[in-house]
Amino acid sequence: MNDQPSDTAQSEPAEPEVDYLANNQYQPVGAQEVLAILHEAQTVAISGHVNPDGDALGSALALRDLLRAMGKKADVVLSEGCLAPELYDFLPDYTFVDSSSYHETPDLFVAVDVSTIKRLGKVQSLLDKAERTLAIDHHACFEGFTQYYYGDTAAPATASLIWEIIQASTVEPSLNMASYCYVAIMTDTGRFAFRNTDRSTFVDATEMVDIGVNPSEMSQLVYENKSLAALRLEALIIDRVSFSCEGRVAYSYILSNDLSSLGLERDATEQLPTILRSIKGVEVAVLFRDEIDEGVRVNLRSRSSYNVGLLARKFGGGGHAGAAGFTLELPLEEAISHVIDYLIEEHSASDGT
């Protein structure tokens, strides 16, 4: 596989109703400016991306608690019909509002861990009617859909930026805030093992541990708390694995009825691509998830210099150099062939064959 520079962003296939790239000029801000924006608001709606992961959820919950400690009315709003993953329901005050049930007109809308408006789903309606809008994110290609933007592409997780804001405030960080941010950073760095892990990651984690977070407990609750059904799903993935590019690419798939037949929710698939990547000799892992009406979701993981974020962008998605994804509106077999053939062609070109 060839080495490529990092230039990534998350996205979904649906087109936005408004061309924010053409119509909105955003203002980059720092932590103190973010705090000023938060202080001026009274009612705040916070949202991460659709199908939220640990970073989106942890970042949103930590920011919610900070705002409430500042005397603000703050809620984490999920896109209509989007359920919070059971994987993280051990977190304290793990409560959310469905966008269809949120009837406030927020002074401020904050998008966390979202680089493109497509990833907001139906929460976009709150963005449209909020007086002020702010995005806090660590992806490389923010599309400028809010008035203000606080971002750092070198940050290992969006929660790292939230933690910086909390530390810069006059609010004493609570154990709940520290727990939310710790889980967010732990999951987005793959237990502090992915390439986005750096010294600052451990500095932040140490501060959270000093407040009372138990690293062993958090790791066990996220990574060692699987149901038998979840383990059976892992077995299916491994049983279906195939290889290409001289064993450097491993790929597998999830059928549309696998989750329902096992009694599992979609969040049970979050850690599965990493299982494929852990196979000896594999540099790129690809997991295809057939969602029928929503197309085929393709999740990518890399443990070499190969940038899967760039690959995902070529197919209309995005992400990071080591973890990315996109959706194809194709039947499962065609989607697999489309992506794997592309990787084979790219591999052959890089080898000069």
Side-chain angles (χ1 to χ4, degrees), residues 61 66 68 86 91 101 128-129 134 200 214 239 265 270 278:
L61 291 169
L66 172 64
R68 289 179 178 178
E86 291 183 12
L91 290 170
S101 303
D128 294 337
K129 68 180 183 180
L134 164 69
S200 70
N214 186 322
D239 186 56
E265 298 295 334
E270 184 175 327
S278 68

Side-chain angles (χ1 to χ4, degrees), residues 16-342:
E17 296 178 4
V18 181
D19 186 357
Y20 281 83
L21 282 173
N23 296 322
N24 191 20
Q25 295 294 320
Y26 68 87
Q27 177 181 337
V29 292
Q32 289 297 337
E33 292 168 298
V34 169
L35 284 170
I37 293 169
L38 299 182
H39 275 293
E40 292 173 8
Q42 294 302 316
T43 303
V44 184
I46 309 162
S47 183
H49 51 76
V50 292
N51 303 324
D53 58 6
D55 191 21
L57 291 168
S59 297
L61 291 169
L63 181 59
R64 178 201 65 186
D65 278 17
L66 172 64
L67 283 159
R68 289 179 178 178
M70 293 166 62
K72 313 299 181 180
K73 179 176 176 54
D75 294 287
V76 180
V77 184
L78 299 182
S79 182
E80 182 178 349
C82 184
L83 301 177
E86 291 183 12
L87 176 63
Y88 304 107
D89 65 6
F90 63 87
L91 290 170
D93 199 8
Y94 192 65
T95 56
F96 307 90
V97 180
D98 188 277
S99 61
S100 64
S101 303
Y102 186 83
H103 303 301
E104 303 280 351
T105 300
D107 303 322
L108 175 66
F109 176 87
V110 185
V112 295
D113 202 39
V114 185
S115 61
T116 170
I117 194 172
K118 302 175 189 178
R119 296 278 286 166
L120 284 174
K122 295 183 179 179
V123 175
Q124 182 186 332
S125 61
L126 297 180
L127 173 81
D128 294 337
K129 68 180 183 180
E131 294 180 21
R132 305 178 88 184
T133 58
L134 164 69
I136 304 173
D137 185 40
H138 73 133
H139 294 95
C141 291
F142 176 63
E143 290 189 350
F145 60 90
T146 56
Q147 295 168 315
Y148 304 98
Y149 167 68
Y150 177 50
D152 182 358
T153 59
T158 296
S160 303
L161 304 177
I162 300 296
W163 186 247
E164 183 178 346
I165 294 167
I166 292 172
Q167 293 286 65
S169 75
T170 57
V171 173
E172 186 73 20
S174 67
L175 177 57
N176 284 4
M177 294 178 197
S179 298
Y180 298 141
C181 288
Y182 186 92
V183 168
I185 294 171
M186 177 183 69
T187 55
D188 232 38
T189 61
R191 286 186 272 190
F192 308 99
F194 292 167
R195 280 179 285 168
N196 57 341
T197 307
D198 58 17
R199 182 181 181 279
S200 70
T201 313
F202 293 104
V203 171
D204 290 345
T206 299
E207 293 172 348
M208 297 166 200
V209 171
D210 288 343
I211 291 172
V213 172
N214 186 322
S216 176
E217 179 184 26
M218 291 301 181
S219 180
Q220 288 177 19
L221 287 169
V222 174
Y223 296 103
E224 300 175 31
N225 195 30
K226 299 175 182 177
S227 66
L228 181 59
L231 291 174
R232 284 175 173 156
L233 179 61
E234 290 184 8
L236 278 177
I237 300 304
I238 294 170
D239 186 56
R240 295 168 179 167
V241 70
S242 297
F243 299 90
S244 69
C245 302
E246 300 176 347
R248 298 182 189 180
V249 174
Y251 61 98
S252 189
Y253 58 90
I254 298 173
L255 297 175
S256 59
N257 63 347
D258 282 340
L259 296 180
S260 59
S261 64
L262 290 169
L264 295 170
E265 298 295 334
R266 181 183 292 182
D267 62 285
T269 68
E270 184 175 327
Q271 300 171 19
L272 293 177
T274 306
I275 294 174
L276 299 176
R277 188 180 59 179
S278 68
I279 300 172
K280 184 177 181 179
V282 170
E283 297 179 9
V284 176
V286 190
L287 180 63
F288 299 86
R289 188 175 72 234
D290 191 2
E291 299 184 350
I292 305 299
D293 294 338
E294 299 179 37
V296 176
R297 182 65 185 169
V298 184
N299 293 109
L300 307 162
R301 297 292 184 272
S302 170
R303 66 172 176 183
S304 69
S305 59
Y306 185 81
N307 189 329
V308 292
L310 283 179
L311 172 62
R313 291 191 70 195
K314 292 177 181 178
F315 287 96
H320 302 286
F326 57 92
T327 299
L328 292 176
E329 295 182 1
L330 294 171
L332 179 61
E333 288 188 10
E334 291 184 31
I336 293 174
S337 177
H338 194 51
V339 175
I340 300 305
D341 285 352
Y342 180 89

